[in-house]
Amino acid sequence: MRVLHVAVEIYPLVKTGGLADVVAALPPALAARGLDTRVLLPGLPAILNGVSEQKRVIRFGPAFGAAVITLRIGRLPDSGLIAYIIDAPYLYRRDGNPYLGPDGHDWRDNHRRFALLGWVAAHLATGELDRNWQPDVVHAHDWHAGLAPAYIAQNPASHTATV
């Protein structure tokens, strides 16, 4: 079984709370049980700097306000699991935490930033972005990944389950 975990945080790269710990622990635990497990993350600076062996999968755009978006694939530092990274500098390369700017207020375009995350997950689920891998299940972790199941449900040809 192939499982794609979609999240904004993963320990030790980006952590604001317990979610980062869950996303760092659950995919490797499933992989240890024989599942083909991968993670999809936004291209926040700490993620781009922390994921090794990065290669470009596909480049597209404009979408969600970003002119150019590059989907990259690499390895997570602790587990060695495969991670997809959405490199959209206009949306993700910023100071502050994933949800708030340095001033402590929500980023005004969070709706676009996290809509892109869900949209990419849905298109990975259909095999459109990486022809070499397609998940059977997409696990959307927390509110910022919540649009992934909605986008997947909009495709009548999709057989991908969602959590």
Side-chain angles (χ1 to χ4, degrees), residues 95-161:
D95 295 331
N97 80 28
Y99 319 105
L100 308 172
D103 62 0
H105 293 96
D106 289 347
W107 293 108
R108 293 185 342 194
D109 60 351
N110 272 347
H111 60 290
R112 286 186 287 172
R113 298 170 74 231
F114 301 132
L116 175 62
L117 179 66
W119 186 88
V120 170
H123 287 273
L124 277 168
T126 62
E128 293 176 301
L129 298 180
D130 184 350
R131 299 208 185 274
N132 297 316
W133 193 83
Q134 184 176 355
D136 301 305
V137 177
V138 171
H139 186 153
H141 291 271
D142 217 329
W143 64 269
H144 52 265
L147 284 176
Y151 286 137
I152 290 168
Q154 294 300 308
N155 183 343
S158 177
H159 302 290
T160 305

Side-chain angles (χ1 to χ4, degrees), residues 25-152:
L26 182 57
L30 294 174
R33 292 177 129 339
L35 281 72
D36 183 353
T37 308
R38 297 183 181 191
V39 179
L40 173 65
L41 303 162
L44 303 171
I47 291 171
L48 284 170
N49 292 332
V51 173
S52 64
E53 302 173 34
Q54 291 183 37
K55 296 176 185 164
R56 184 173 87 182
V57 175
I58 191 169
R59 180 172 282 175
F60 59 93
F64 296 90
V68 177
I69 301 161
T70 304
L71 183 64
R72 301 183 183 284
I73 193 168
R75 296 264 177 198
L76 292 171
D78 286 356
S79 65
L81 286 180
I82 293 174
Y84 291 101
I85 305 153
I86 306 166
D87 187 4
Y90 181 77
L91 295 172
Y92 299 131
R93 288 193 195 170
R94 303 176 179 178
D95 295 331
N97 80 28
Y99 319 105
L100 308 172
D103 62 0
H105 293 96
D106 289 347
W107 293 108
R108 293 185 342 194
D109 60 351
N110 272 347
H111 60 290
R112 286 186 287 172
R113 298 170 74 231
F114 301 132
L116 175 62
L117 179 66
W119 186 88
V120 170
H123 287 273
L124 277 168
T126 62
E128 293 176 301
L129 298 180
D130 184 350
R131 299 208 185 274
N132 297 316
W133 193 83
Q134 184 176 355
D136 301 305
V137 177
V138 171
H139 186 153
H141 291 271
D142 217 329
W143 64 269
H144 52 265
L147 284 176
Y151 286 137
I152 290 168

